[in-house]
Structures are given as C-alpha cells and as structure tokens.
Amino acid sequence: MKAKLGIAPIAWWNDDLAELSDDVSLEECLRQASVAGFTGMETGRRFPMNMEELGPLLARFGISVCGGWFSGLLLDGDLEREKDRIRAQMDFFIAAKAPCVVYGETARSIQGIRSAPLDTKPRLSEEEIRVYGRKMTIFAEWCAGQGMPIAYHHHMAAAIETEAELGLLMANSGEALRLLFDAGHMAFAGGDVLRVIDKHHSRISHVHTKDVRNDVIDKLDRKRESFLDAVVKGAFTVPGDGSLDFAAIIARLASYGYEGWFVVEAEQDPRVSPPLDMAKKGHAELMRLMAQAGYEVVR
C-alpha cells in the first residue's frame, strides 16, 4: 500500500485567528515543510489561487497541492450558487492536480466565533440531515463530474460534528460524497475514532492526522469556552505529541486498504509550538507508523 505525507499551513498561519500566525512568507513555509520531509501541502490564506504563480514555488521545494479548505454554505444555500462559489477553486485544483477539495460546512457554524461557546454549536434534526445529505450528494456528484471530487470534513463547532451526526449524514448521502476522516476533530467531539473508521472506511478518501491533548480538552468549560479558545489553549498537536493512538488509527486504515494522503493539520500557537519543530516531529512519527503498518511512503 502506498501513502503520501502532507501538511497544512495552519501550523504557520491560522485562517480563523490571525494572531496565531508566524511571521513567515509562503516561500519560507514551503521551505520548512520540505525540510521536515513533507511532499504535499494543503492551501491556505497566503496561497495564490493560480498555478502560474504558485507552480514554480511548489516545484522549487518538491511539494504538490494535496488539498485545501472550501468554506461551504450548502446547508442553507442554493446548489447553483454553491457551484459558482467553488468554481474558481475547482479550476485551480484541477490545474494543480490536487486529489480533492476539502469541503467544510460553515453555514451556522461557530468554529470561527471566539465568543460562541462550544455548547452552542448548530444542531440539526434527522430530517434536516436527510435533506442536507441529498443536497450534498447532488453537489458531490457534480464536483466529481467536473473533474475534482470533494472530501467532506466533519468539524468541531459545525453542523456535522459528532459521530452520530456524521453517521446520519453518511446514511443519507450517496457514494459520491467522500469523507475526510479527521481523528482529532472526531476525538474532540467525543467519538470513537476506530469505530468511525470501521463504519465509514469505504467513503474515506482523505485523512487528517490531527492529534489532541486530552488534558486540555478535558478541562474546557464547553458552556463558556469556544472552539478557538480550545485552539489557543493547545487542544491540537501533531502525531507523536498528543493523546491519540495513531499506531492503531493507521493500522485500522491500512486494514481496509486505504491509500492516499495523510495530512498533518495541527493549529497551534507558533510561539509556543514552533512550526518547523512540530512538522519534523509529526513527520518522523508518521514515517515510523507507516512502516509499522506496511505502507510505502511515496512522493
């Protein structure tokens, strides 16, 4: 089985909380990711959205685009409007030969609102999720038909956060809606990460290897503290530095034949957790675990 290792720029610059950002250029970010050993990077706010400008930079450091976030609004929005909204990013990703667009539902989400406590996340009825699942299926089918599949990112503080919510979405959507499995977000939401893999492995097309610090999460007051408060306190980190058993997670994915990208996505305060040091730590741990699980790491 083959695996590719990527990283997200959120360790260097946080898109939701600019104060959690290192004062480095895109070129320096790519250089550090390459030095750490990664061959892929997801896009972020300092990335030009065209390959004419970005391509030479990526080539200089031997890095490819391995995905990138799209702030979806389909929960409350119109299908045709959403197609228009994603078109430019889709065209860019097709040119970049990216594996997928990461679809994150931001309608009603409180993930970027520092003043909104975790317990005030949006909650959908089963009927709302059924309707949403049908819309997401149609949208995912269209995206795939255009040449760029999406991978759905379950996310803390969003409409689809918990194991139960994800299960309902998967049950009420078609195979075209692929899943981005994020171990850190699912663990933070109280889900059983291995059981989620067991249930939804056939839909997983992209993996975020986000680790968590349980000692931070366990002390959060969810009636008063927000998702961004948790990030500032250090809820997330890289594999090998947190509480999750990534040996078991990667072995379980391997048991179902998952092949593709494993992306380190760990937003932290760069002054507390220097991005290059954390990237090196995460890469070294993933290389160890990939060998243990029988993966060949390729570019």
Side-chain angles (χ1 to χ4, degrees):
M1 294 180 298
K2 299 185 186 303
K4 298 181 179 182
L5 303 187
I7 193 166
I10 200 166
W12 287 269
W13 325 296
N14 193 299
D15 288 1
D16 291 323
L17 206 58
E19 65 203 63
L20 293 188
S21 298
D22 207 358
D23 186 23
V24 299
S25 65
L26 171 59
E27 181 175 349
E28 177 61 14
C29 174
L30 293 171
R31 187 194 71 80
Q32 290 185 19
S34 177
V35 166
F38 293 98
T39 59
M41 181 170 273
E42 293 192 352
T43 55
R45 62 184 167 90
R46 294 188 183 179
F47 277 67
M49 296 290 281
N50 66 82
M51 284 303 287
E52 290 77 15
E53 187 176 352
L54 181 61
L57 266 179
L58 294 174
R60 189 186 313 169
F61 298 106
I63 287 178
S64 63
V65 174
C66 63
W69 178 272
F70 171 74
S71 294
L73 295 171
L74 195 56
L75 176 61
D76 295 324
D78 175 76
L79 270 166
E80 295 307 313
R81 167 74 174 142
E82 203 70 355
K83 291 175 185 178
D84 289 342
R85 291 185 66 246
I86 203 172
R87 182 78 258 177
Q89 185 170 342
M90 179 178 290
D91 290 344
F92 164 45
F93 274 31
I94 290 170
K97 297 181 172 58
C100 63
V101 170
V102 173
Y103 183 97
E105 184 60 64
T106 58
R108 309 189 206 178
S109 174
I110 60 166
Q111 66 199 65
I113 304 173
R114 184 80 184 265
S115 61
L118 284 159
D119 274 358
T120 63
K121 75 168 272 330
R123 288 174 171 81
L124 306 181
S125 68
E126 289 192 23
E127 178 57 26
E128 286 179 304
I129 293 178
R130 277 193 285 272
V131 172
Y132 179 53
R134 289 195 290 270
K135 287 174 72 176
M136 283 303 314
T137 301
I138 295 169
F139 184 66
E141 289 172 344
W142 178 82
C143 290
Q146 296 295 303
M148 181 49 56
I150 60 173
Y152 190 94
H153 193 334
H154 56 94
H155 201 286
M156 283 298 300
I160 303 299
E161 172 192 276
T162 67
E163 182 178 348
E165 289 165 343
L166 179 60
L168 280 171
L169 178 63
M170 292 290 98
N172 289 281
S173 59
E175 289 293 322
L177 184 61
R178 312 304 289 176
L179 175 63
L180 184 157
F181 172 69
D182 189 307
H185 277 279
M186 185 50 63
F188 193 161
D192 184 318
V193 294
L194 296 181
R195 185 168 61 209
V196 169
I197 295 171
D198 289 339
K199 288 181 178 178
H200 306 303
H201 60 88
S202 66
R203 305 279 286 274
I204 295 172
S205 64
H206 205 58
V207 172
H208 278 177
T209 55
K210 183 196 294 286
D211 208 338
V212 297
R213 295 186 177 99
N214 281 339
D215 59 332
V216 174
I217 290 173
D218 291 345
K219 292 174 184 175
L220 291 171
D221 182 348
R222 299 192 183 213
K223 296 185 182 303
R224 297 181 59 187
E225 294 181 285
S226 67
F227 173 72
L228 290 179
D229 287 335
V231 171
V232 170
K233 287 188 169 187
F236 297 128
T237 187
V238 301
D241 191 56
S243 306
L244 295 183
D245 183 354
F246 268 98
I249 290 167
I250 291 170
R252 191 64 59 92
L253 288 164
S255 75
Y256 290 112
Y258 173 81
E259 291 188 283
W261 286 99
F262 290 82
V263 180
V264 173
E265 191 214 26
E267 56 267 51
Q268 300 187 77
D269 185 338
R271 293 161 297 189
V272 177
S273 302
L276 177 56
D277 293 345
M278 299 307 291
K280 287 179 176 178
K281 178 178 286 190
H283 186 272
E285 179 68 356
L286 286 181
M287 288 296 289
R288 183 180 75 84
L289 297 178
M290 292 296 155
Q292 190 173 292
Y295 280 105
E296 176 191 359
V297 176
V298 299
R299 294 192 64 82

